[in-house]
């Protein structure tokens, strides 16, 4: 079981980001702080190994 407990919950990845670069930087900063992502529209949940893989492997234009 993961020791992380903080989550950012958003409806879709396009909402909080201005560009792919901005998304990459923000996700890296939040990951350093132990904050996971739950994205409803794309079905991404980085609290699980499968969700982390899905987020990291999906092309930026689908995010």
């Amino acid at each position: 079981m993961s020791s992380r407990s903080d989550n950012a919950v958003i409806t879709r990845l396009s909402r909080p980001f201005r560009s792919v670069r901005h998304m990459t930087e923000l996700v890296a900063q939040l990951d350093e702080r132990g904050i996971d992502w739950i994205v409803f529209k794309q079905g991404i949940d980085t609290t699980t190994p499968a969700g982390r893989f899905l987020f990291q492997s999906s092309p930026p234009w689908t995010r």
Side-chain angles (χ1 to χ4, degrees):
M1 179 158 227
S2 175
S3 62
R4 292 181 171 187
S5 62
D6 294 327
N7 299 313
V9 180
I10 55 177
T11 57
R12 63 184 113 185
L13 285 173
S14 62
R15 291 295 176 215
F17 308 113
R18 296 181 299 247
S19 65
V20 172
R21 180 179 178 194
H22 181 240
M23 177 185 68
T24 304
E25 291 171 353
L26 183 59
V27 168
Q29 291 172 3
L30 294 175
D31 189 50
E32 289 174 3
R33 295 181 180 148
I35 299 173
D36 286 305
W37 288 91
I38 298 172
V39 186
F40 293 127
K41 182 78 172 176
Q42 284 84 5
I44 298 171
D45 181 352
T46 64
T47 62
T48 67
R52 285 190 293 279
F53 175 77
L54 178 63
F55 180 77
Q56 293 171 354
S57 65
S58 64
W61 59 86
T62 63
R63 298 180 189 171

